[in-house]
């Protein structure tokens, strides 16, 4: 028992002496709590809806006024063509179309002499959480209009800006692919630091092998893993969950390879400054988890407070996931496709330059 306690004490002293590992281990839970506290304390973001009012009856005007009076809802009166164009660009979160004849149809339904009146609700099926918020806002008003009506006096007609075969999983398949590519890249730091600690890199550097060959073999291995991940994730999404891949697979693989190179270079930056495997693990976690939860992979960026949106716009995973969603399922863009490509390329060049300058072989 004394030997066990002595060994445990020695391990604790060894861990505490590693200042970098100690810092990242203690800082990470604090960052995690603060990040999620800001997300959930924000109370939700403002919902921007385009309203196409094709009927000028008092009933139609009353509906639009009630919708506008809701807290957290901002209306933009537009014509239908402009509203749909803004929806595709992501400038509005949804469209509510009050068709011509709405007032007369509502009066006939109230008198029991006609079918329910219609309202067209246009949402983006690649953003299911946001679509739910749109229907909740419209449903709040319709709940008052339909009060006492059996059957309901007004029925929403759902439409989407995506393909008919798009389902909720279609948003997550490219997001998960981007997340997997990120992990393949940045987790390369941990075995690199381990090999340096064990003097394996030093011994390899003394062999006739050139250093670019050593680095190249590691990069090639990680790229092959990224390609295999792409094939597996796309195949599972397509054949098991019915995801409709509408874009070019060549462009998809191009984004995957660019993303893998970008995050590999970031992994080498981590390996350049981490002195031990423990510190590399901590640094990898502190980079990985904010990107997971602030890049739109799980939570839509529109639901974040403005301060976190600024952070999201600086993360490479935001643009990798957005680019993959645009190419694979024609998702509503967070940024133009060329911006996604350019942003990843800039991250690649900057991280490669830092790693080339500071990476240590021993």
């Amino acid at each position: 028992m004394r030997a066990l306690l002595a060994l445990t004490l020695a391990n604790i002293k060894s861990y505490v002496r590693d200042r970098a590992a100690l810092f990242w281990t203690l800082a990470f839970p604090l960052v995690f709590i603060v990040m999620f506290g800001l997300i959930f304390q924000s109370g939700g973001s403002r919902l921007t809806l385009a309203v196409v009012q094709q009927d000028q009856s008092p009933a139609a005007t009353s509906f639009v006024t009630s919708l506008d009076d809701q807290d957290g809802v901002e209306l933009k009166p537009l014509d239908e063509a402009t509203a749909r164009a803004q929806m595709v660009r992501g400038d509005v979160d949804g469209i509510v179309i009050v068709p011509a004849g709405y007032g007369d149809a509502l009066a006939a339904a109230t008198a029991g002499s006609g079918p329910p009146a219609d309202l067209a609700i246009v949402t983006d099926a690649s953003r299911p959480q946001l679509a739910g918020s749109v229907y909740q806002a419209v449903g709040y008003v319709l709940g008052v209009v339909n009060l006492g009506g059996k059957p309901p006096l007004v029925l929403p007609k759902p439409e989407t800006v995506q393909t008919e075969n798009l389902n909720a999983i279609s948003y997550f398949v490219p997001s998960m692919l981007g997340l997997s590519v990120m992990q393949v890249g940045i987790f390369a730091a941990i075995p690199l630091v381990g090999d340096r600690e064990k003097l394996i890199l030093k011994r390899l550097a003394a062999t006739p092998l050139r250093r670019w060959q050593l680095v190249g073999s590691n990069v090639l291995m990680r790229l092959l893993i990224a390609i295999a991940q792409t094939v597996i994730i796309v195949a599972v999404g397509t054949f098991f969950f019915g995801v409709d891949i509408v874009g070019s697979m060549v462009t998809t693989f191009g984004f995957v390879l660019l993303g893998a190179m970008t995050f590999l270079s970031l992994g080498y930056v981590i390996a350049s400054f981490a002195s031990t495997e423990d510190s590399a693990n901590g640094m990898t976690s502190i980079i990985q988890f904010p990107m997971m939860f602030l890049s739109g992979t799980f939570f839509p960026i529109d639901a974040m407070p403005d301060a976190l949106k600024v952070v999201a716009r600086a993360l490479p995973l935001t643009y990798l996931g957005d680019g993959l969603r645009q190419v694979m399922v024609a998702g509503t863009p967070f940024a133009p496709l060329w911006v996604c490509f350019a942003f990843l390329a800039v991250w690649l060049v900057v991280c490669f330059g830092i790693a080339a300058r500071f990476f240590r072989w021993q």
Side-chain angles (χ1 to χ4, degrees):
M1 182 61 70
R2 291 181 60 186
L4 176 62
L5 293 176
L7 186 58
T8 302
L9 182 61
N11 286 332
I12 292 174
K13 289 181 178 179
S14 176
Y15 180 77
V16 170
R17 290 189 185 111
D18 189 346
R19 303 298 182 183
L22 187 64
F23 172 79
W24 292 116
T25 303
L26 295 179
F28 171 68
L30 179 62
V31 172
F32 198 82
I33 292 171
V34 171
M35 180 177 63
F36 276 95
L38 289 173
I39 291 175
F40 294 117
Q41 194 178 37
S42 64
S45 61
R46 193 165 182 83
L47 196 65
T48 303
L49 298 178
V51 173
V52 182
Q53 187 174 347
Q54 300 171 343
D55 186 85
Q56 302 302 320
S57 66
T61 302
S62 175
F63 170 82
V64 173
T65 301
S66 298
L67 190 61
D68 193 27
D69 287 342
Q70 287 190 67
D71 292 335
V73 175
E74 178 184 355
L75 297 189
K76 296 176 68 174
L78 300 170
D79 61 84
E80 185 172 353
T82 303
R84 290 183 181 274
Q86 290 198 12
M87 182 77 182
V88 171
R89 293 198 303 268
D91 296 335
V92 296
D93 301 319
I95 305 172
V96 180
I97 302 175
V98 185
Y102 169 84
D104 294 337
L106 179 58
T110 303
S113 58
D118 291 331
L119 281 174
I121 313 297
V122 184
T123 58
D124 181 1
S126 70
R127 302 163 78 187
Q129 298 95 335
L130 192 58
S133 298
V134 173
Y135 280 106
Q136 183 178 7
V138 176
Y140 179 82
V141 179
L142 291 185
V144 177
V145 175
N146 289 328
L147 188 63
K150 296 181 179 180
L153 304 178
V154 181
L155 291 176
K157 291 175 57 180
E159 298 182 29
T160 68
V161 295
Q162 298 292 338
T163 63
E164 293 181 2
N165 293 329
L166 190 66
N167 49 36
I169 195 67
S170 297
Y171 178 87
F172 291 103
V173 166
S175 298
M176 290 301 101
L177 177 56
L179 180 62
S180 299
V181 170
M182 177 200 72
Q183 291 177 327
V184 166
I186 64 173
F187 275 98
I190 298 172
L192 274 173
V193 175
D195 288 346
R196 185 169 59 212
E197 271 193 291
K198 299 168 186 173
L199 301 181
I200 294 176
L201 290 183
K202 180 180 179 180
R203 296 189 186 99
L204 288 174
T207 67
L209 288 172
R210 298 181 182 273
R211 289 187 175 183
W212 70 263
Q213 294 173 317
L214 299 175
V215 174
S217 64
N218 183 266
V219 171
L220 181 58
M221 180 266 291
R222 297 279 169 173
L223 291 180
L224 291 175
I225 293 175
I227 293 173
Q229 283 181 326
T230 303
V231 173
I232 293 171
I233 291 174
V234 171
V236 170
T238 301
F239 295 110
F240 288 92
F241 296 105
V243 175
D244 186 12
I245 306 298
V246 299
S248 166
M249 287 306 299
V250 173
T251 307
T252 298
F253 276 107
F255 261 100
V256 167
L257 292 177
L258 175 60
M261 290 294 296
T262 299
F263 287 110
L264 266 171
S265 64
L266 182 56
Y268 272 85
V269 170
I270 296 172
S272 300
F273 295 99
S275 56
T276 65
E277 278 192 86
D278 284 338
S279 62
N281 267 304
M283 294 172 69
T284 299
S285 297
I286 206 67
I287 291 173
Q288 173 197 16
F289 280 92
M291 280 202 286
M292 284 175 60
F293 296 109
L294 297 180
S295 63
T297 300
F298 301 110
F299 302 101
I301 295 175
D302 294 333
M304 298 178 186
D306 291 339
L308 293 183
K309 289 180 181 178
V310 173
V311 177
R313 291 189 180 97
L315 300 177
L317 185 57
T318 298
Y319 297 89
L320 177 59
D322 183 51
L324 289 173
R325 284 190 292 271
Q326 289 186 56
V327 173
M328 295 173 66
V329 297
T332 300
F334 173 76
L337 200 60
W338 71 268
V339 172
C340 296
F341 185 91
F343 199 90
L344 290 170
V346 169
W347 264 89
L348 170 60
V349 171
V350 171
C351 290
F352 180 81
I354 295 173
R357 170 65 179 81
F358 293 102
F359 185 79
R360 294 172 289 112
W361 290 84
Q362 53 183 311

